[in-house]
Amino acid sequence: MSMMTGREYIESLRAINPEVYFLGQRIKCIVDEPMFQPHLHAAAMTYELAHHPEYEEIMTATSHLTGEKINRFTHVHHSIDDLVKKVRMMRLLGQKTGTCFQRCVGLDGLNAIYVTTYDIDQKYGTDYHERFKKYLLEVQKKDWMPAGAMTDARGDRSLRPSRQKHPDVYLRIKKRLKDGIIVSGTKAHITGAINSHEIITMPTRTMTEEDKDYAVSFAIPANTKGILFVFSRQTNDTRRLDGILDAGNPKYGIVGGEAIIIFQDVFVPWERVFMAGEYDFTTELVETFAGYHRSNYGGCKVGLADVVIGGSRWIAEAHGLGKASHIIDKLTEMIAMAETCWSCTLACSYEGYRTPSGAYHINPLLANVTKLNITRMVYEWMRVGQDIAGGKIITLPSERDLNSPVSGKVLEECFSGKDGVPPRDIIKMLRLIENMSVGAGLPEAMHGAGSPAAQKIMIERRSGLEKKMELAETVAGISKDKYFESIIGKDEKAHWDEVRKKIEEHKAQIY
Amino acid sequence: MTCPLGLLESMFTIGVRYCGGCNPQIDRSRVVKDLEEGLRKIGLPVDFTTAKERLADVILLVNGCKHACFEAKQGESDRGHTVISVRGEMVDEQYVKEGDIVKMLIQRICSFL
């Protein structure tokens, strides 16, 4: 087994050359295209850090299949410690890239399919789990990055998948053959899709019997015949072609580099199929994946918060406001929100449990609370970051104007701060805060891993409201409280009768 | 449900170990109480004990949730015994609704006789 370095990962993508389109053009080579390079660099960080001893403990794991050292992004969690290290890895990578590093979706897909295929086999006597273990071994051996493809295009949300006017708005099995299946359909908003070695698909929702052809999960190479990718637009995306300074985060980009994946009569051999019609396990697969993925957001987004908090402090100091009490107060607010989300994700990891498959899952209630907090708090800490940075983040001139012999000198003077701080460094930092707080990263925090409504459904289902009512009934004295009776040493009714009597007897003294 | 009572030469003892009960998904005390009643109904003479020093035929870990923190803290004296672990809405490695936990426990206990 060998773990790729960041550079080796990027070079490995040359051999794949998937069919990618952007702005109406077929992209001949994603590796050489400046438009995509920041996304590749961010994903490459997940490979690179595994080779540095100072991060090895978090970035690598021991394969439960072989006992060998592997990149943690290919690992199936087999302990609470694994779950905790996973979210520590997310925070670390958020800190190093300031953006989405994309590889966690595939990691969560691998874990969710591992857990669910075991349970399907227990019920139906199928061999999906063994098939999946062979696939997982290959992923670990080749250190692949699989893109986790769950969300379908979905069309009319009031209609079930099988009732849609356009059948391709959901991925489905069109034909079952002796040696495999033929699938068609569309997956949308898929993070890291164009720079992944493989695509692993999962159903996007609970399916019923009438939708059983939509209950499908499989893995397939990204360059399989019939698969094409349309890269999605992001806010200010072409700025990286206008000027390096203009981009904001020219090294690692902005959010994950999402794409639409269109499957057109794609053949998938049976050994790569992990669900084919077992609609009664779609809820488990979706919820297991969502639980893992929602927990991640309390790691990666907090890593991003670390960067934006540092950037905000840097800007304040560069302008001579580092010690201003209102700045310190705002930074403290940002830190408290970020650490609240971090506490949530640590809690859902420490409260994880062993599934029947032997793999460990996070606490789903707490993972959904983590993500719900993220949908709110990322906006809030980015708002405070913008507050500290000032209006400059939306009015900065372009790099070309800074380089212009006509305007360059006066612009640099306009954007100077304290003595000794180069104006271009101030612009770099302001652009970074703009990139992180104004752009596509915000709605990504809202909708990535599911929208707030999805989290609220899971929270309501898992919160044990009936038990909470029982607690309230006991405390209110509506139902029996055996521990209270033990304290008072008698029946509760008799106790209150005695209390009433005492009150009456001492009424004159009290009043 | 019936149990092979003929194999029993003496009172069957179940050592009950509760987790701390911080935020249980299930009513742990009710599970044990219903189990006691269920076993009595099928005519199995069972003694339940929470005394750790007493010898038991089966150890029943009653964890309020799937995290099952008590499994990691299980006492040294219980090692080597047959253990059944209720983990919220799971019994050992099987998912089960709260209302079916007792039925599953009776099946497990009977399988040891």
Side-chain angles (χ1 to χ4, degrees), chain A residues 1-113:
Chain A
M1 292 208 183
S2 63
M3 295 187 297
M4 282 189 270
T5 62
R7 180 107 296 270
E8 285 167 346
Y9 154 70
I10 290 174
E11 289 304 311
S12 73
L13 298 174
R14 287 189 190 280
I16 298 171
N17 196 24
E19 190 175 344
V20 177
Y21 295 85
F22 185 57
L23 296 177
Q25 295 177 57
R26 168 75 202 267
I27 306 301
K28 287 180 188 149
C29 177
I30 60 157
V31 175
D32 296 326
E33 172 51 54
M35 191 66 209
F36 304 137
Q37 280 177 345
H39 302 299
L40 269 62
H41 296 155
M45 193 64 84
T46 69
Y47 286 89
E48 184 60 30
L49 294 190
H51 292 270
H52 294 261
E54 62 270 35
Y55 298 119
E56 186 184 16
E57 176 64 13
I58 283 177
M59 293 299 305
T60 64
T62 302
S63 167
H64 76 289
L65 298 175
T66 63
E68 292 184 41
K69 185 170 145 183
I70 54 172
N71 189 301
R72 189 173 292 282
F73 277 98
T74 65
H75 184 51
V76 168
H77 320 300
H78 269 76
S79 66
I80 296 292
D81 187 53
D82 277 343
L83 294 174
V84 173
K85 280 184 177 149
K86 181 200 66 163
V87 292
R88 291 191 191 283
M89 176 171 74
M90 301 300 160
R91 184 167 186 174
L92 167 67
L93 285 160
Q95 291 175 339
K96 294 295 184 196
T97 61
T99 188
C100 170
F101 36 86
Q102 311 145 40
R103 206 175 169 189
C104 69
V105 199
L107 167 65
D108 299 330
L110 293 174
N111 276 271
I113 297 170

Side-chain angles (χ1 to χ4, degrees), chain A residues 307 310-312 314-315 393 424-434:
Chain A
V307 174
S312 302
W314 192 98
I315 284 294
I393 58 167
R424 283 192 181 231
D425 283 357
I426 292 178
I427 293 173
K428 268 187 191 171
M429 193 61 83
L430 290 168
R431 282 284 184 219
L432 175 64
I433 294 172
E434 180 201 22

Side-chain angles (χ1 to χ4, degrees), chain A residues 350 352-354 356 467, chain B residues 25 66-67 87 93 95 98:
Chain A
Y350 278 114
Y353 66 95
R354 191 179 70 243
K467 294 270 184 300
Chain B
Q25 293 173 341
K66 292 190 183 97
H67 180 63
R87 309 158 72 202
E93 304 301 328
Y95 294 113
E98 183 173 6

